[in-house]
Amino acid sequence: MQTIKYSKNKNWQEVLQRPVFDSSSLEKKVKKILEAVKSEGDKAVEKFTKDFDGVKLKNFQVSKKEFSEAAELLSNELKNSIIVAKNNIEKFHAAQLHAPEIIETMPGVKCWRKNVAIEKVGLYIPGGSAPLFSTLLMLGIPAAIAGCKKIIVCSPPDKRGKLHPAILFTAKLLGLRDVYKIGGVQAIGAMAYGTKTISSVYKIFGPGNQFITCAKQLIQKDGIAIDMPAGPSEVAVYADETSNASFVAADLLSQAEHGADSQVVLLTSSADLSRSIEIEIEKQLEKLPRKETAKKALEKSKIVLVKNEDQAIEVLNEYAPEHLILSCNNAELLADRVINAGSVFLGNYSPESVGDYASGTNHTLPTNGFAKSYSGVSVDSFVKKITFQQLSRQGITEIGKTVEAMAEAEGLKAHAEAVRVRLSNIVGKHSTLNIQ
Amino acid sequence: MQTIKYSKNKNWQEVLQRPVFDSSSLEKKVKKILEAVKSEGDKAVEKFTKDFDGVKLKNFQVSKKEFSEAAELLSNELKNSIIVAKNNIEKFHAAQLHAPEIIETMPGVKCWRKNVAIEKVGLYIPGGSAPLFSTLLMLGIPAAIAGCKKIIVCSPPDKRGKLHPAILFTAKLLGLRDVYKIGGVQAIGAMAYGTKTISSVYKIFGPGNQFITCAKQLIQKDGIAIDMPAGPSEVAVYADETSNASFVAADLLSQAEHGADSQVVLLTSSADLSRSIEIEIEKQLEKLPRKETAKKALEKSKIVLVKNEDQAIEVLNEYAPEHLILSCNNAELLADRVINAGSVFLGNYSPESVGDYASGTNHTLPTNGFAKSYSGVSVDSFVKKITFQQLSRQGITEIGKTVEAMAEAEGLKAHAEAVRVRLSNIVGKHSTLNIQ
C-alpha cells in the first residue's frame, strides 16, 4: 500500500483520485450486441451464449426440475444461512415503505403520495468467478416487497449450461420463477428490448463488469431506467488507537479480494497503527486463496495519515466511499458527520462483510464517488411515488385566485381559465355560497 | 383532435405513440458548447450568452440591488399568491422526510437509514416564452427542506441582461442567493464542471428545451446526476357522463397552450360527451392569447373512445401520462387502479393547473412514458439515503456463522475471515462467554 503522510495538498479529490475507465472503446462492441438482440431476439441471444459462455442452449429458462435439484446440492448450513440473511434483509427493507399520508394543504385541498411498484423489472446476477446469490437476495427482496409484478432474473450459464445451485435455491426461496440462463450484454439487451422468451422490463438492476456497465448506459438512452451508474467496489476504513489492527487488516483484505481494480483506503492519524495494520495484512494475505487478486488491488491502495479526526471526516466526505468502516472509539459521533457514503459500519464489531451478506442493509451501493448524489438500492428503487390531489368545491374556491394570478403572470392564460370556468360554475350554482 | 373510435388494435402503445425526437442531431453542437465551458469557464459562458441571449454580461450573479428592485415590480396579488403556493408546497414536501428508524434485525445487529442532503445542487429555470417562477418553487422548496448546502440557480437573461422579477422575488423568498443570469447549454455546463463564478454541483434539476435535455444527458455520462429524462409535457383526461364538458375542454387547452409539441389525450366511452368537449374547445380556444400554439398541439392530439372504464384504465396505464385527470364520478376508485402516472387529479374540481402552481404537489414530473419507472421530483430527489449498521459483540456472534457460510460459498474467503478474526477475539477474551 502507498502511504500518504500528512499531505499538504488539501485537494483530497486529487490525492485519492480513482482510476478513470473510458468505456468508449467498448461502446462499439456493446452496441453491436445490443442491436443484434433487439433485431434478432432469441436467435442472437443463442449465438452470443455460444460465443461468450461456450454453451449451446435452446431453452434459457430454468426448469422446475433444475430448481428442485438445486436444493439437494447445497449443505443445510448454507441453506439456513441464506434463510437467516433473507429474514434480516426483509426486516430492514419492509420498514422502508410508508403508507400514504393525506396532507390537507388548504381547506378542501387534499394531497397525497403513494408508492406504486414498477410493474416489470430485470435483475442481472453476474457469474464469473463467484456465484453472487447474495446479490439476488439484495435485489429480489426489495422487488418483492415493492410488489413488482414481473421480476426477470438473468445470470450467465456455466459450461454445462447450468446456474449455480445457490442462485437457484435463493430464487425459489424468494418466489422468483422467471429465471434465465443468459449473461453478459445479451442479457441486458434481452431485458431491455424483449425477445420471444424474455419480456422487456422498465428498469434493470445489478452489478457487472465493464461490458455490463456500458450496456446499461446505452439502454438507458432508450428510456429504460437503471439502478445506478457503476464502478469498482470500494472500502474506506477510519481507524484510531482503539481499533484492532488485525480486524482492520481483515476488512481491507476482504475488499481487496473482490478484484484487482478494488479500491481500498485506510485513514488514521497514527503512523504506528498503520504499520501494525500493514504487518497484519502481510500475515493474513498469505492464507487467502485469492491472494494474487488482493495483492494487485493493494498495490494501488492508499494509507492516508491524517492530522486528526476532523481531517479524516473531511477526506472521507470528499472521497465518498461506497463502504465506510468507522473502526474507532466514538463511531456514533463520527457517523453523524458523514455526508457522503453508501453504507457505514460503526465500531469494531461491524465488518463490511456483515453488510455484504446478512445484517439487513442492501449491498448494492454507489461506487466511484457517486455516493455524493446517489443512494444504494432500497425498496424506493422498485417503486414510483405517484402524487394525487383532490379538491372539493371549497378547495378550488380557496386556492383559485392564487392559481389564476400565477398562471397569468407566467403568460399561461388557459391555465387560469381552467380554474375560472370552475369558479364561475360554482358561483352560478350556489348563489348562497354554500361552497362545501 | 383525431378521434380513435373503439379501436380493435389493443396495442395501446402503438395507438397512442408519442413522437420520437432524435437528439443525436443536436449532440455535436451541444457537446461543443459543454466542452468550451469546461475548458474556458466564464469566458465561454460570456461568449455564448452574447451569441444566444443577445446580451453582453460581465457579471452573471444577480446583485442585492436587483433582488430588492424585483419586489417593487410585482403586484401584491402576485406576491401573495406566490407566498400561498410556497406554504402549500412546503407543507406537502415537509411530510416526505422520515426520521431514521433503528431496526434490530437480530439481537445486537442494529441497522438504520438516514436522509442526508446532496451537498451541492443546481436548478435550471428556463426563460423563453414564460418566466417559470413556479418551477423555482417546485425545485427550490424541496432542496431547502432536504438541507442542501449549496443551491445554484441559473436562468437565461433577457435582452437587457435581467431576470424576470417574479423569479427574483421567488428566489429571495426561498432564501436562494446564488442566482445567475446564465441560460441554455452553457448554464448546464457551468453547473456541471464549474467556472470561476459558478461552483460545480453534484446533481442538476430542471426542465428545458431539446438542447437542455441533450446537455443533461451528456453531463450525466460524466457522473453528474440529473433529476430525470425529459420530454414534452402531457395530460390525459378520463371523462364520464358526470363530467362537465367545459371543464374538460379547459383542462385539455391548458396543456395544449404549453407548446406545439404538447401531448393531449382524452379518453371517454361517450361519443356524445367527446363531441360536446370538442365544441367547447373550439369556443374557448378563440379567447386564448396562445391560440396558435394550442391549435398546433391539438392537431396531433387524440380522443380515444373506449368500451368502458376498465378499458380506460388499461389504456391509461399503458400510456403512463405525466398528468392524469380523472374527471369522473368514482375518481377515488379509479385512482386506486392507476399504476403508471406522474400526478393524478381526482374529480371535477381538480384541474391540472392547481398542481402546476399551488396545491402542494410537485410539478416536475416524468413525461414521455417515463412514469412507468420514474417518480416526480420530491424531497427524495435532493437526498441520499445512507445506511448504517452497528453490531455489538453479541450481534457479530449471532450473525457470524451465517456470514461465514455465505462468503465461503461465494468463494470470498477474506470476507469470512473478517468475521472469524472478530469471533475468535471475542471467544479468547471472554472465556466465560459473556458476549454482551
Side-chain angles (χ1 to χ4, degrees), chain B residues 20-64:
Chain B
V20 178
F21 179 76
D22 181 9
S23 73
S24 59
S25 60
L26 303 179
E27 211 173 293
K28 225 170 138 183
K29 227 182 236 171
V30 171
K31 219 177 217 167
K32 226 171 155 177
I33 301 174
L34 289 176
E35 274 164 14
V37 173
K38 195 175 179 176
S39 61
E40 294 162 43
D42 286 338
K43 212 182 112 197
V45 175
E46 247 177 67
K47 182 188 171 303
F48 295 123
T49 303
K50 192 165 147 269
D51 291 354
F52 300 132
D53 302 306
V55 57
K56 227 179 146 170
L57 281 179
K58 273 284 170 196
N59 193 352
F60 303 109
Q61 187 162 11
V62 172
S63 67
K64 275 190 183 165

Short mmCIF file of all heavy atoms in Angstrom, two decimals, chain B residues 20-64:
data_model
loop_
_atom_site.label_atom_id
_atom_site.label_comp_id
_atom_site.label_asym_id
_atom_site.label_seq_id
_atom_site.Cartn_x
_atom_site.Cartn_y
_atom_site.Cartn_z
N VAL B 20 -41.23 10.58 -31.69
CA VAL B 20 -39.87 10.29 -31.24
C VAL B 20 -38.96 11.42 -31.70
O VAL B 20 -38.95 11.77 -32.87
CB VAL B 20 -39.37 8.95 -31.83
CG1 VAL B 20 -37.94 8.67 -31.40
CG2 VAL B 20 -40.29 7.82 -31.39
N PHE B 21 -38.26 12.01 -30.74
CA PHE B 21 -37.31 13.04 -31.13
C PHE B 21 -35.90 12.49 -30.98
O PHE B 21 -35.51 12.02 -29.91
CB PHE B 21 -37.48 14.30 -30.29
CG PHE B 21 -36.47 15.35 -30.67
CD1 PHE B 21 -36.65 16.08 -31.83
CD2 PHE B 21 -35.35 15.57 -29.90
CE1 PHE B 21 -35.71 17.02 -32.21
CE2 PHE B 21 -34.40 16.51 -30.28
CZ PHE B 21 -34.58 17.25 -31.43
N ASP B 22 -35.15 12.55 -32.04
CA ASP B 22 -33.80 12.02 -32.01
C ASP B 22 -32.83 13.18 -31.74
O ASP B 22 -32.65 14.05 -32.58
CB ASP B 22 -33.48 11.36 -33.35
CG ASP B 22 -32.08 10.78 -33.35
OD1 ASP B 22 -31.46 10.76 -32.28
OD2 ASP B 22 -31.60 10.37 -34.43
N SER B 23 -32.23 13.13 -30.53
CA SER B 23 -31.37 14.26 -30.16
C SER B 23 -29.97 14.14 -30.72
O SER B 23 -29.14 15.00 -30.53
CB SER B 23 -31.30 14.39 -28.64
OG SER B 23 -30.51 13.34 -28.11
N SER B 24 -29.70 13.03 -31.45
CA SER B 24 -28.32 12.83 -31.90
C SER B 24 -27.88 13.93 -32.87
O SER B 24 -26.70 14.23 -32.98
CB SER B 24 -28.16 11.45 -32.54
OG SER B 24 -29.03 11.33 -33.64
N SER B 25 -28.86 14.55 -33.55
CA SER B 25 -28.51 15.63 -34.47
C SER B 25 -28.01 16.85 -33.71
O SER B 25 -27.22 17.65 -34.21
CB SER B 25 -29.72 15.99 -35.33
OG SER B 25 -30.78 16.42 -34.49
N LEU B 26 -28.51 17.04 -32.47
CA LEU B 26 -28.08 18.19 -31.67
C LEU B 26 -26.76 17.91 -30.95
O LEU B 26 -26.05 18.82 -30.56
CB LEU B 26 -29.10 18.48 -30.56
CG LEU B 26 -30.55 18.76 -30.93
CD1 LEU B 26 -31.35 19.00 -29.67
CD2 LEU B 26 -30.58 19.98 -31.83
N GLU B 27 -26.48 16.62 -30.77
CA GLU B 27 -25.43 16.23 -29.84
C GLU B 27 -24.09 16.91 -30.11
O GLU B 27 -23.41 17.36 -29.18
CB GLU B 27 -25.30 14.70 -29.86
CG GLU B 27 -24.85 14.16 -28.52
CD GLU B 27 -24.86 12.64 -28.45
OE1 GLU B 27 -25.95 12.05 -28.50
OE2 GLU B 27 -23.77 12.05 -28.36
N LYS B 28 -23.76 17.00 -31.39
CA LYS B 28 -22.46 17.57 -31.74
C LYS B 28 -22.37 19.03 -31.29
O LYS B 28 -21.38 19.45 -30.68
CB LYS B 28 -22.31 17.49 -33.27
CG LYS B 28 -20.94 16.99 -33.71
CD LYS B 28 -20.93 16.71 -35.17
CE LYS B 28 -19.65 17.20 -35.83
NZ LYS B 28 -19.70 16.95 -37.28
N LYS B 29 -23.43 19.77 -31.57
CA LYS B 29 -23.48 21.18 -31.22
C LYS B 29 -23.40 21.36 -29.71
O LYS B 29 -22.66 22.20 -29.19
CB LYS B 29 -24.83 21.74 -31.72
CG LYS B 29 -24.71 23.06 -32.48
CD LYS B 29 -26.09 23.55 -32.87
CE LYS B 29 -26.20 23.78 -34.37
NZ LYS B 29 -27.55 24.04 -34.82
N VAL B 30 -24.20 20.56 -29.01
CA VAL B 30 -24.29 20.68 -27.55
C VAL B 30 -22.95 20.32 -26.90
O VAL B 30 -22.47 20.99 -26.00
CB VAL B 30 -25.43 19.80 -27.02
CG1 VAL B 30 -25.41 19.72 -25.50
CG2 VAL B 30 -26.78 20.32 -27.50
N LYS B 31 -22.34 19.26 -27.41
CA LYS B 31 -21.05 18.81 -26.90
C LYS B 31 -20.00 19.91 -27.00
O LYS B 31 -19.21 20.12 -26.10
CB LYS B 31 -20.60 17.58 -27.72
CG LYS B 31 -19.92 16.50 -26.89
CD LYS B 31 -19.59 15.32 -27.76
CE LYS B 31 -19.79 14.02 -27.02
NZ LYS B 31 -19.77 12.87 -27.90
N LYS B 32 -20.03 20.60 -28.13
CA LYS B 32 -19.06 21.67 -28.38
C LYS B 32 -19.19 22.78 -27.33
O LYS B 32 -18.19 23.27 -26.80
CB LYS B 32 -19.31 22.24 -29.78
CG LYS B 32 -18.05 22.41 -30.60
CD LYS B 32 -18.39 22.77 -32.01
CE LYS B 32 -17.26 23.53 -32.67
NZ LYS B 32 -17.59 23.81 -34.08
N ILE B 33 -20.43 23.14 -27.03
CA ILE B 33 -20.65 24.20 -26.03
C ILE B 33 -20.19 23.72 -24.66
O ILE B 33 -19.50 24.43 -23.93
CB ILE B 33 -22.15 24.61 -26.00
CG1 ILE B 33 -22.58 25.12 -27.37
CG2 ILE B 33 -22.40 25.66 -24.92
CD1 ILE B 33 -24.06 25.42 -27.49
N LEU B 34 -20.56 22.49 -24.31
CA LEU B 34 -20.16 21.95 -23.00
C LEU B 34 -18.64 21.92 -22.86
O LEU B 34 -18.08 22.30 -21.83
CB LEU B 34 -20.73 20.54 -22.80
CG LEU B 34 -22.23 20.42 -22.59
CD1 LEU B 34 -22.64 18.95 -22.51
CD2 LEU B 34 -22.68 21.15 -21.32
N GLU B 35 -17.99 21.48 -23.92
CA GLU B 35 -16.52 21.38 -23.87
C GLU B 35 -15.86 22.74 -23.73
O GLU B 35 -14.88 22.91 -23.01
CB GLU B 35 -15.99 20.63 -25.09
CG GLU B 35 -16.01 19.13 -24.85
CD GLU B 35 -15.88 18.31 -26.14
OE1 GLU B 35 -15.50 18.90 -27.19
OE2 GLU B 35 -16.15 17.09 -26.09
N ALA B 36 -16.43 23.72 -24.43
CA ALA B 36 -15.88 25.07 -24.34
C ALA B 36 -16.02 25.61 -22.91
O ALA B 36 -15.09 26.19 -22.36
CB ALA B 36 -16.59 26.00 -25.33
N VAL B 37 -17.20 25.38 -22.30
CA VAL B 37 -17.40 25.86 -20.91
C VAL B 37 -16.46 25.13 -19.96
O VAL B 37 -15.88 25.72 -19.05
CB VAL B 37 -18.88 25.66 -20.48
CG1 VAL B 37 -19.06 26.00 -19.01
CG2 VAL B 37 -19.81 26.52 -21.33
N LYS B 38 -16.28 23.83 -20.21
CA LYS B 38 -15.39 23.04 -19.36
C LYS B 38 -13.95 23.56 -19.41
O LYS B 38 -13.28 23.65 -18.39
CB LYS B 38 -15.43 21.58 -19.83
CG LYS B 38 -14.87 20.57 -18.84
CD LYS B 38 -15.10 19.16 -19.38
CE LYS B 38 -14.54 18.11 -18.45
NZ LYS B 38 -14.84 16.76 -18.94
N SER B 39 -13.50 23.92 -20.62
CA SER B 39 -12.09 24.31 -20.72
C SER B 39 -11.87 25.80 -20.53
O SER B 39 -10.85 26.22 -20.00
CB SER B 39 -11.50 23.83 -22.05
OG SER B 39 -12.19 24.43 -23.12
N GLU B 40 -12.84 26.62 -20.94
CA GLU B 40 -12.60 28.08 -20.86
C GLU B 40 -13.40 28.77 -19.77
O GLU B 40 -13.25 29.98 -19.55
CB GLU B 40 -12.90 28.73 -22.22
CG GLU B 40 -11.93 28.28 -23.30
CD GLU B 40 -12.49 28.58 -24.69
OE1 GLU B 40 -13.04 29.69 -24.86
OE2 GLU B 40 -12.41 27.71 -25.57
N GLY B 41 -14.29 28.06 -19.12
CA GLY B 41 -15.02 28.63 -17.98
C GLY B 41 -15.83 29.87 -18.32
O GLY B 41 -16.51 29.93 -19.36
N ASP B 42 -15.74 30.87 -17.44
CA ASP B 42 -16.55 32.08 -17.57
C ASP B 42 -16.45 32.74 -18.95
O ASP B 42 -17.42 33.29 -19.45
CB ASP B 42 -16.14 33.10 -16.51
CG ASP B 42 -16.64 32.72 -15.12
OD1 ASP B 42 -17.61 31.94 -15.05
OD2 ASP B 42 -16.06 33.20 -14.13
N LYS B 43 -15.26 32.67 -19.53
CA LYS B 43 -15.05 33.30 -20.84
C LYS B 43 -16.02 32.71 -21.88
O LYS B 43 -16.64 33.43 -22.66
CB LYS B 43 -13.60 33.08 -21.29
CG LYS B 43 -13.03 34.22 -22.12
CD LYS B 43 -11.62 33.90 -22.56
CE LYS B 43 -11.57 33.68 -24.07
NZ LYS B 43 -10.35 32.98 -24.50
N ALA B 44 -16.13 31.39 -21.85
CA ALA B 44 -17.04 30.72 -22.78
C ALA B 44 -18.49 31.07 -22.45
O ALA B 44 -19.31 31.30 -23.36
CB ALA B 44 -16.83 29.21 -22.73
N VAL B 45 -18.82 31.11 -21.15
CA VAL B 45 -20.18 31.45 -20.75
C VAL B 45 -20.55 32.84 -21.27
O VAL B 45 -21.64 33.06 -21.82
CB VAL B 45 -20.34 31.37 -19.22
CG1 VAL B 45 -21.73 31.84 -18.79
CG2 VAL B 45 -20.09 29.95 -18.72
N GLU B 46 -19.62 33.77 -21.12
CA GLU B 46 -19.82 35.14 -21.63
C GLU B 46 -20.13 35.15 -23.12
O GLU B 46 -21.06 35.79 -23.58
CB GLU B 46 -18.52 35.92 -21.43
CG GLU B 46 -18.61 37.03 -20.41
CD GLU B 46 -17.24 37.68 -20.26
OE1 GLU B 46 -16.76 38.32 -21.23
OE2 GLU B 46 -16.65 37.53 -19.17
N LYS B 47 -19.30 34.40 -23.83
CA LYS B 47 -19.44 34.37 -25.30
C LYS B 47 -20.80 33.81 -25.72
O LYS B 47 -21.50 34.39 -26.54
CB LYS B 47 -18.31 33.49 -25.88
CG LYS B 47 -18.32 33.43 -27.40
CD LYS B 47 -17.34 32.40 -27.92
CE LYS B 47 -17.50 32.16 -29.42
NZ LYS B 47 -18.83 31.75 -29.85
N PHE B 48 -21.19 32.68 -25.10
CA PHE B 48 -22.46 32.06 -25.51
C PHE B 48 -23.66 32.91 -25.08
O PHE B 48 -24.69 32.90 -25.73
CB PHE B 48 -22.56 30.63 -24.95
CG PHE B 48 -21.53 29.69 -25.53
CD1 PHE B 48 -20.64 29.01 -24.71
CD2 PHE B 48 -21.45 29.51 -26.92
CE1 PHE B 48 -19.69 28.16 -25.25
CE2 PHE B 48 -20.49 28.65 -27.46
CZ PHE B 48 -19.61 27.98 -26.63
N THR B 49 -23.51 33.60 -23.96
CA THR B 49 -24.59 34.48 -23.52
C THR B 49 -24.79 35.60 -24.54
O THR B 49 -25.92 35.98 -24.86
CB THR B 49 -24.27 35.06 -22.12
OG1 THR B 49 -24.05 33.98 -21.22
CG2 THR B 49 -25.40 35.92 -21.60
N LYS B 50 -23.69 36.08 -25.05
CA LYS B 50 -23.77 37.12 -26.09
C LYS B 50 -24.40 36.53 -27.37
O LYS B 50 -25.30 37.12 -27.95
CB LYS B 50 -22.36 37.65 -26.37
CG LYS B 50 -22.34 38.91 -27.21
CD LYS B 50 -20.97 39.58 -27.15
CE LYS B 50 -20.69 40.26 -28.48
NZ LYS B 50 -19.98 39.42 -29.45
N ASP B 51 -23.92 35.36 -27.75
CA ASP B 51 -24.40 34.75 -29.00
C ASP B 51 -25.88 34.35 -28.92
O ASP B 51 -26.65 34.60 -29.85
CB ASP B 51 -23.60 33.48 -29.33
CG ASP B 51 -22.16 33.81 -29.71
OD1 ASP B 51 -21.84 35.01 -29.82
OD2 ASP B 51 -21.36 32.87 -29.87
N PHE B 52 -26.27 33.69 -27.84
CA PHE B 52 -27.61 33.09 -27.79
C PHE B 52 -28.65 33.98 -27.12
O PHE B 52 -29.82 33.96 -27.49
CB PHE B 52 -27.57 31.72 -27.09
CG PHE B 52 -26.68 30.72 -27.78
CD1 PHE B 52 -25.75 29.98 -27.06
CD2 PHE B 52 -26.75 30.53 -29.16
CE1 PHE B 52 -24.92 29.06 -27.70
CE2 PHE B 52 -25.93 29.61 -29.80
CZ PHE B 52 -25.00 28.88 -29.07
N ASP B 53 -28.26 34.72 -26.08
CA ASP B 53 -29.23 35.55 -25.39
C ASP B 53 -29.15 37.00 -25.86
O ASP B 53 -29.96 37.85 -25.46
CB ASP B 53 -29.01 35.48 -23.87
CG ASP B 53 -29.11 34.05 -23.35
OD1 ASP B 53 -30.14 33.42 -23.62
OD2 ASP B 53 -28.16 33.57 -22.70
N GLY B 54 -28.15 37.27 -26.69
CA GLY B 54 -28.04 38.61 -27.27
C GLY B 54 -27.71 39.69 -26.25
O GLY B 54 -28.13 40.85 -26.41
N VAL B 55 -26.97 39.35 -25.21
CA VAL B 55 -26.63 40.38 -24.23
C VAL B 55 -25.21 40.15 -23.72
O VAL B 55 -24.78 39.01 -23.50
CB VAL B 55 -27.66 40.40 -23.07
CG1 VAL B 55 -27.77 39.05 -22.39
CG2 VAL B 55 -27.32 41.47 -22.05
N LYS B 56 -24.48 41.24 -23.57
CA LYS B 56 -23.10 41.16 -23.10
C LYS B 56 -23.10 41.34 -21.59
O LYS B 56 -23.46 42.40 -21.08
CB LYS B 56 -22.28 42.26 -23.78
CG LYS B 56 -20.98 41.73 -24.32
CD LYS B 56 -20.16 42.75 -25.01
CE LYS B 56 -18.69 42.43 -24.74
NZ LYS B 56 -17.78 43.22 -25.55
N LEU B 57 -22.72 40.31 -20.87
CA LEU B 57 -22.70 40.38 -19.41
C LEU B 57 -21.29 40.09 -18.93
O LEU B 57 -20.64 39.17 -19.41
CB LEU B 57 -23.65 39.35 -18.81
CG LEU B 57 -25.15 39.66 -18.80
CD1 LEU B 57 -25.90 38.50 -18.17
CD2 LEU B 57 -25.44 40.95 -18.05
N LYS B 58 -20.85 40.87 -17.95
CA LYS B 58 -19.54 40.61 -17.34
C LYS B 58 -19.74 39.90 -16.00
O LYS B 58 -18.94 39.09 -15.57
CB LYS B 58 -18.77 41.93 -17.14
CG LYS B 58 -17.96 42.36 -18.34
CD LYS B 58 -16.68 41.51 -18.47
CE LYS B 58 -15.99 41.76 -19.81
NZ LYS B 58 -15.00 40.71 -20.10
N ASN B 59 -20.84 40.29 -15.36
CA ASN B 59 -21.12 39.73 -14.04
C ASN B 59 -22.45 38.98 -14.11
O ASN B 59 -23.49 39.58 -14.36
CB ASN B 59 -21.19 40.88 -13.03
CG ASN B 59 -21.17 40.36 -11.61
OD1 ASN B 59 -21.25 39.14 -11.39
ND2 ASN B 59 -21.07 41.25 -10.66
N PHE B 60 -22.40 37.68 -13.89
CA PHE B 60 -23.62 36.88 -14.07
C PHE B 60 -24.49 36.83 -12.81
O PHE B 60 -25.68 36.57 -12.88
CB PHE B 60 -23.25 35.44 -14.45
CG PHE B 60 -22.41 35.36 -15.68
CD1 PHE B 60 -21.07 35.01 -15.62
CD2 PHE B 60 -22.97 35.66 -16.92
CE1 PHE B 60 -20.31 34.94 -16.76
CE2 PHE B 60 -22.19 35.59 -18.07
CZ PHE B 60 -20.85 35.24 -17.99
N GLN B 61 -23.86 37.04 -11.67
CA GLN B 61 -24.63 36.84 -10.43
C GLN B 61 -25.61 37.99 -10.21
O GLN B 61 -25.28 39.16 -10.39
CB GLN B 61 -23.68 36.73 -9.24
CG GLN B 61 -24.43 36.35 -7.96
CD GLN B 61 -23.54 35.80 -6.88
OE1 GLN B 61 -22.32 35.86 -6.95
NE2 GLN B 61 -24.17 35.25 -5.84
N VAL B 62 -26.82 37.63 -9.81
CA VAL B 62 -27.84 38.63 -9.51
C VAL B 62 -27.40 39.39 -8.25
O VAL B 62 -27.01 38.79 -7.25
CB VAL B 62 -29.21 37.96 -9.29
CG1 VAL B 62 -30.23 38.97 -8.79
CG2 VAL B 62 -29.69 37.31 -10.59
N SER B 63 -27.46 40.72 -8.33
CA SER B 63 -26.98 41.55 -7.21
C SER B 63 -28.08 41.77 -6.18
O SER B 63 -29.26 41.57 -6.45
CB SER B 63 -26.51 42.90 -7.74
OG SER B 63 -27.65 43.61 -8.24
N LYS B 64 -27.67 42.18 -4.98
CA LYS B 64 -28.63 42.51 -3.93
C LYS B 64 -29.64 43.54 -4.42
O LYS B 64 -30.82 43.48 -4.11
CB LYS B 64 -27.88 43.07 -2.71
CG LYS B 64 -27.36 41.97 -1.81
CD LYS B 64 -26.84 42.55 -0.50
CE LYS B 64 -26.26 41.41 0.32
NZ LYS B 64 -25.43 41.90 1.43
#
